[in-house]
Amino acid sequence: MPTATAEVAIKIRDVRKSFGHLEILKGIDLDVAPREVVCIIGPSGSGKSTLLKCINLLQPPTTGSIEVNGVVLTDPQVDLNGARTKVGMVFQHFNLFPHMDVLENVTTALTTVKKMSRKEAEVIGNAQLAKLELSHLAHKRPADISGGQQQRVAIARALAMNPEVMLFDEATSALDPELVKGVLDVMKDLAVSGMTMVVVTHEIGFAREVADTLVFMDDGAIAESGPAREVLTNPKTDRLKEFLSQVL
Amino acid sequence: MDAFFHTFFSWDEMLKAFPVLLTEGISNTLIIAFFASVLGLALGLILTMMLLSGVWFLKLPARIYVDIFRGLPGIVTVSLVGLGLPAAGIRPFGTSPTGYAILAIALISAAYCAEIFRSGIQSVPEGQMQAGRSLGMSHLQTMRKIVIPQGIRNVLPALTNQFIVDIKESSLVYLLGLAVGQRELYFIAHEQQANSYNSSSLVAAGICYLLLTVPLTYFVNWWDRRLRTGPKPKAPSGPNKIPALSTQLTGADS
């Protein structure tokens, strides 16, 4: 097997995560290639979100290793804050900063982490908002815009850091049904543009259409994985068959 | 009945008390309360950082401090600081009791402010810290830019309420013996009452306190209501519940 690191954007090896005596992740191995889109599905409580938060160490794994573009994030010596700027994350509840307007939400990490001047940051921020057709909201507060707009701002906030990898944690689960499509469209465009993405989702249709690889998690382990269409059309395990029969 | 009215509402006594109360008393009360509150806020924020640091050698002294100064009656703290320190030869404020008074009230206020700040910061949803960290901001940067500004906003009413408490606590400095010019409301009233055996001056001082505290109390209640339900909703979504003022004050330890 070739070992060139460029072949793998994200390398997850035997990741386990326990909270007290409760083992949430029971040994996960997963590779994500550059430009690949991986969708993770599975019943709630199966550990999908925990796995995603292990990738940027918001939830540090109990054991195992995480490597993103050659940087071993689980190495205690590594500059974790620097590494996290290259891993964007979008949350189920958006987690926008309510005391800042939309533009400040997008620029605050540019000025604090990347030490840009306010002006430089606003150029990047405004360009990013324009790309997602959010320019007209630049000076609104998160509380004054819709959930779909909030989530797109959250995506713009992550993209403004120019990440190499994007993680989506049930990005549409908290949205009203009519707002889901707008957010999925942005994610689709991002996938087409070649972004490496790991997407935890309940949107099977999105997974079928956009994902290269589908991962089905159950009870803290990967129960089945493979090319998305194949896995969804021809599930091998009974657990995935049962899961699909319930969500489709 | 005449005796009752004469004791509490003697017109002559009030006319004698009010000019001094209004020209000297109110300003001194406000000076003590204001500087004690500012000092208390600063010290309280430091204590909160220590309490939330997760490092035992910062957490433990802060915890002990808060427990002591919240547990002691104000009058004991004021006596220890205002009478004790100078007697022990520690005289950072020389012989002026106002400095010791401010320090004593500030030490008490800091303990309460620490708990108020703590409840405010802990009411900020965990997702805010996660969002900051996911963007590459350090824990400290996220606290400073994201969590603390929201946490303080959540407890502005409770902090104003603490200022009301400090106004009332400032009366305890009568213990320290104030010279003319330094006298605050209670001291003036108490002095006059001791000379005349008539309580009307105390009623007059009481009225002055109420003029300060009652409007502030109503303002705090209005502000607290507005922050939680007001025209501008606070949180985009998710569990950003600001605890009611009453639970912040009584349930701060839980």
Side-chain angles (χ1 to χ4, degrees):
Chain A
M1 213 178 126
T3 49
T5 45
E7 294 293 312
V8 188
I10 303 172
K11 196 174 180 180
I12 299 169
R13 284 293 175 275
D14 195 32
V15 160
R16 291 167 189 276
K17 176 73 182 173
S18 303
F19 294 100
H21 292 296
L22 191 64
E23 196 173 34
I24 303 290
L25 296 178
K26 302 174 177 172
I28 304 283
D29 293 282
L30 183 67
D31 283 350
V32 181
R35 306 172 73 85
E36 187 180 7
V37 176
V38 175
C39 279
I40 303 177
I41 60 170
S44 54
S46 60
K48 325 179 280 292
S49 288
T50 306
L51 174 61
L52 200 71
K53 285 178 178 166
C54 277
I55 295 178
N56 63 358
L57 264 68
L58 281 186
Q59 306 260 17
T62 311
T63 62
S65 75
I66 306 275
E67 200 177 310
V68 177
N69 285 331
V71 181
V72 183
L73 299 190
T74 39
D75 178 354
Q77 305 297 320
V78 92
D79 166 25
L80 192 53
N81 293 328
R84 281 192 179 129
T85 62
K86 297 178 180 132
V87 183
M89 186 165 214
V90 176
F91 300 86
Q92 179 176 1
H93 294 292
F94 329 138
N95 300 359
L96 291 182
F97 308 132
H99 58 306
M100 300 179 178
D101 70 20
V102 162
L103 184 59
E104 286 172 313
N105 263 278
V106 177
T107 56
T108 188
L110 294 172
T111 52
T112 40
V113 181
K114 295 203 168 176
K115 306 291 174 205
M116 289 183 186
S117 71
R118 210 187 143 94
K119 223 173 184 176
E120 284 175 287
E122 287 188 351
V123 169
I124 294 179
N126 279 319
Q128 194 54 247
L129 289 176
K131 236 184 243 177
L132 300 189
E133 294 168 24
L134 297 164
S135 297
H136 59 294
L137 304 176
H139 298 294
K140 296 217 169 185
R141 291 285 175 113
D144 299 327
I145 63 180
S146 78
Q149 289 168 332
Q150 288 187 50
Q151 192 59 299
R152 284 188 287 148
V153 170
I155 294 173
R157 175 176 72 180
L159 289 177
M161 298 299 281
N162 197 19
E164 295 164 350
V165 167
M166 284 284 285
L167 311 175
F168 291 85
D169 186 13
E170 302 197 22
T172 58
S173 296
L175 294 175
D176 291 334
E178 77 273 17
L179 301 174
V180 168
K181 189 174 173 296
V183 172
L184 289 181
D185 284 346
V186 171
M187 292 166 66
K188 224 177 283 178
D189 290 346
L190 200 57
V192 171
S193 77
M195 177 63 76
T196 308
M197 292 164 59
V198 181
V199 182
V200 169
T201 187
H202 291 294
E203 301 285 337
I204 305 294
F206 175 83
R208 183 191 301 273
E209 190 184 341
V210 180
D212 302 300
T213 302
L214 191 87
V215 171
F216 172 63
M217 281 187 71
D218 190 37
D219 195 22
I222 294 178
E224 193 170 341
S225 70
R229 265 161 228 261
E230 206 175 299
V231 172
L232 284 171
T233 325
N234 256 326
K236 291 198 177 60
T237 57
D238 290 341
R239 279 180 298 182
L240 179 53
K241 280 178 200 165
E242 193 193 325
F243 177 74
L244 290 176
S245 74
Q246 275 162 10
V247 297
L248 285 180
Chain B
M1 207 58 196
D2 269 2
F4 179 86
F5 273 102
H6 178 70
T7 305
F8 291 105
F9 301 103
S10 156
W11 201 237
D12 293 342
E13 288 293 327
M14 288 214 181
L15 278 181
K16 204 170 124 198
F18 265 121
V20 193
L21 290 171
L22 293 176
T23 53
E24 184 183 337
I26 282 204
S27 62
N28 281 325
T29 289
L30 283 177
I31 285 172
I32 295 169
F34 176 77
F35 285 105
S37 293
V38 170
L39 201 61
L41 284 172
L43 188 56
L45 193 58
I46 295 170
L47 285 167
T48 305
M49 297 286 82
M50 291 167 73
L51 284 174
L52 295 177
S53 67
V55 189
W56 74 267
F57 60 83
L58 293 175
K59 219 169 143 176
L60 188 68
R63 191 72 256 160
I64 291 172
Y65 177 96
V66 170
D67 285 348
I68 287 178
F69 283 95
R70 288 202 331 157
L72 284 179
I75 201 161
V76 174
T77 306
V78 172
S79 305
L80 284 174
V81 172
L83 304 174
L85 284 186
I90 306 167
R91 300 191 178 100
F93 308 106
T95 52
S96 152
T98 307
Y100 299 96
I102 290 173
L103 179 65
I105 308 288
L107 291 176
I108 302 167
S109 187
Y112 286 94
C113 284
E115 292 291 13
I116 293 170
F117 279 131
R118 190 173 65 107
S119 90
I121 286 169
Q122 288 179 335
S123 75
V124 177
E126 174 68 21
Q128 292 290 308
M129 174 58 82
Q130 290 188 354
R133 298 307 303 273
S134 79
L135 291 164
M137 294 166 76
S138 67
H139 182 85
L140 204 66
Q141 286 171 332
T142 314
M143 282 304 266
R144 215 182 63 225
K145 292 230 151 190
I146 311 296
V147 177
I148 291 176
Q150 291 181 62
I152 288 182
R153 200 162 309 198
N154 290 350
V155 294
L156 280 178
L159 291 173
T160 314
N161 197 59
Q162 183 59 38
F163 179 61
I164 296 172
V165 172
D166 291 346
I167 289 176
K168 295 190 287 181
E169 292 279 283
S170 70
S171 60
L172 292 174
V173 310
Y174 86 97
L175 274 174
L176 308 184
L178 300 162
V180 172
Q182 302 171 330
R183 297 174 301 177
E184 45 70 62
L185 291 172
Y186 178 72
F187 193 88
I188 293 166
H190 180 74
E191 228 175 15
Q192 191 179 321
Q193 193 256 0
N195 288 329
S196 65
Y197 298 106
N198 185 293
S199 293
S200 303
S201 58
L202 286 171
V203 172
I207 291 170
C208 291
Y209 279 114
L210 293 177
L211 283 176
L212 297 175
T213 54
V214 169
L216 262 177
T217 308
Y218 277 86
F219 170 71
V220 166
N221 290 345
W222 169 81
W223 199 5
D224 190 43
R225 222 174 19 249
R226 209 186 82 118
L227 274 183
R228 266 177 306 116
T229 60
K232 238 184 179 180
K234 285 284 301 168
S237 76
N240 191 1
K241 290 261 164 55
I242 306 167
L245 191 50
S246 53
T247 54
Q248 279 178 21
L249 296 177
T250 56
D253 267 63
S254 59

